[in-house]
Amino acid sequence: PKLMAHVIIPEAEEILDKEFRCLDKGFVRLIDYMGGDESIVQAARVSYGKGAKTNYEDRNLIRYLMRHQHTTPFEMVELKFHAKLPLFVARQWIRHRTANVNELSGRYSIMKDEFCVLDPKDIRYQSKINKQGESEDEVPSELGQEFINILIKGQGAAYEKYKYLLEKGIERGLARINLPLSLYTQWYWKIDLHNLLHFLKLRIDKSAQREIRVYAKAMAEITRKVVPLSYEAFENYVLNSLTFSKLETKIISQIINKGNLKSELEGIASLLNTAEKGAPINYKGREFDKLELREFKEKLENLL
């Protein structure tokens, strides 16, 4: 059998090496990719070539895989990013260990005089109920500006001492150790799509620190260009979805009017019985494929 040709995605080609600006001096850009939605479909079917499947069937297959957490086919796609980011963002980012990373080395290179300086409006108070979170209370502009001034003064002083130590011949690896976390670094970061989507789910979330959310949102925009069908499914079934515990499900089932729910189930069954084969089903103003609507019906039945 003939092997599927190398996948080239025009929308991804258009943004290769394009800088998506992040924070004041940072960026993230796509420098390479391997595979696309087509690769996921091929891997899931364990066959070669496109076969006779339609785009509609490919989309439904990808959505099925995402719904049921069949993750292996998504690992067939890889994206390689080049990012310029502050050290304090990098130290959160590196917690995602399922990637290949190569970072700029301060032992071999002289670090540039580039530090992250936030906008005063982006300064937040510490949350009183979440040890990692920010408060919704607004920081007065004077305090925000004072924070910025302290950063800039400390950054300048630290970099001057760094240069002084280098001039005295101190080893670069030692001279750098007093530089602050606001210093910019750079790295190449290569990851498969399954783990990238996990990264995005955690780092786009409002509970993540704002500064890393900026990068995650830029990467999400890039990812959508490379795998539009997979990203759509990710948004529908992961990013914008909710899960409930066993206890929560019991409570929800007690809240729901069971008489109305039974009637709703009968209506769904009627739709499933009369739907044309392979055609989407319109339910409550939304488009479902037949299998997806049947699975939703089963979830509702479990509440009874």
Side-chain angles (χ1 to χ4, degrees), residues 93 96 189 195-203 216 219:
W93 192 327
H96 299 266
W189 196 70
N195 285 296
L196 172 58
L197 294 179
H198 179 67
F199 169 88
L200 295 178
K201 173 179 170 56
L202 295 178
R203 298 306 181 175
M219 294 167 71

Side-chain angles (χ1 to χ4, degrees), residues 108-150:
Y108 300 104
S109 303
I110 296 176
M111 305 305 292
K112 292 184 179 180
D113 184 8
E114 292 184 309
F115 296 90
C116 179
V117 179
L118 302 177
D119 190 300
K121 65 179 176 60
D122 294 325
I123 309 305
R124 291 88 61 191
Y125 282 121
Q126 172 66 45
S127 170
K128 295 179 180 179
I129 59 175
N130 184 345
K131 292 181 179 180
Q132 298 184 93
E134 60 191 61
S135 170
E136 294 183 0
D137 297 334
E138 187 175 342
V139 174
S141 56
E142 313 84 64
L143 178 57
Q145 188 58 56
E146 182 182 4
F147 175 89
I148 299 302
N149 293 340
I150 290 172

Side-chain angles (χ1 to χ4, degrees), residues 120-223:
K121 65 179 176 60
D122 294 325
I123 309 305
R124 291 88 61 191
Y125 282 121
Q126 172 66 45
S127 170
K128 295 179 180 179
I129 59 175
N130 184 345
K131 292 181 179 180
Q132 298 184 93
E134 60 191 61
S135 170
E136 294 183 0
D137 297 334
E138 187 175 342
V139 174
S141 56
E142 313 84 64
L143 178 57
Q145 188 58 56
E146 182 182 4
F147 175 89
I148 299 302
N149 293 340
I150 290 172
L151 280 185
I152 294 174
K153 184 177 179 180
Q155 291 165 352
Y159 195 79
E160 286 301 316
K161 295 296 185 184
Y162 170 66
K163 288 198 303 182
Y164 171 79
L165 293 172
L166 290 176
E167 290 169 359
K168 292 295 184 181
I170 298 298
E171 179 195 352
R172 291 174 182 173
L174 293 176
R176 63 176 174 160
I177 64 177
N178 206 36
L179 291 172
L181 286 173
S182 55
L183 181 74
Y184 270 96
T185 186
Q186 296 189 40
W187 64 29
Y188 288 98
W189 196 70
K190 181 171 71 71
I191 190 168
D192 68 65
L193 181 61
H194 164 56
N195 285 296
L196 172 58
L197 294 179
H198 179 67
F199 169 88
L200 295 178
K201 173 179 170 56
L202 295 178
R203 298 306 181 175
I204 290 177
D205 191 88
K206 63 181 181 180
S207 64
Q209 187 170 339
R210 175 195 168 274
E211 287 69 32
I212 198 168
R213 289 204 310 266
V214 171
Y215 284 89
K217 288 177 180 178
M219 294 167 71
E221 186 177 347
I222 293 170
T223 305

Side-chain angles (χ1 to χ4, degrees), residues 37-38 41 45 50-62 229 277-280:
D37 288 323
E38 189 176 342
V41 168
R45 292 186 177 131
K50 298 181 181 179
K53 300 296 181 180
T54 65
N55 288 336
Y56 179 75
E57 289 174 303
D58 287 351
R59 177 178 180 269
N60 285 346
L61 175 56
I62 286 174
L229 296 181
K277 184 178 180 181

Side-chain angles (χ1 to χ4, degrees), residues 8 43 54 81 86 184 227:
I8 296 177
T54 65
F81 298 93
Y184 270 96
V227 282

Side-chain angles (χ1 to χ4, degrees), residues 264-265 267-268 271 280-288 293 296 300:
E264 193 69 30
L265 286 168
I268 295 175
L271 283 173
I281 302 174
N282 189 289
Y283 172 67
K284 301 291 187 183
R286 292 172 174 82
E287 186 180 283
F288 289 76
L293 187 58
F296 178 61
L300 293 179

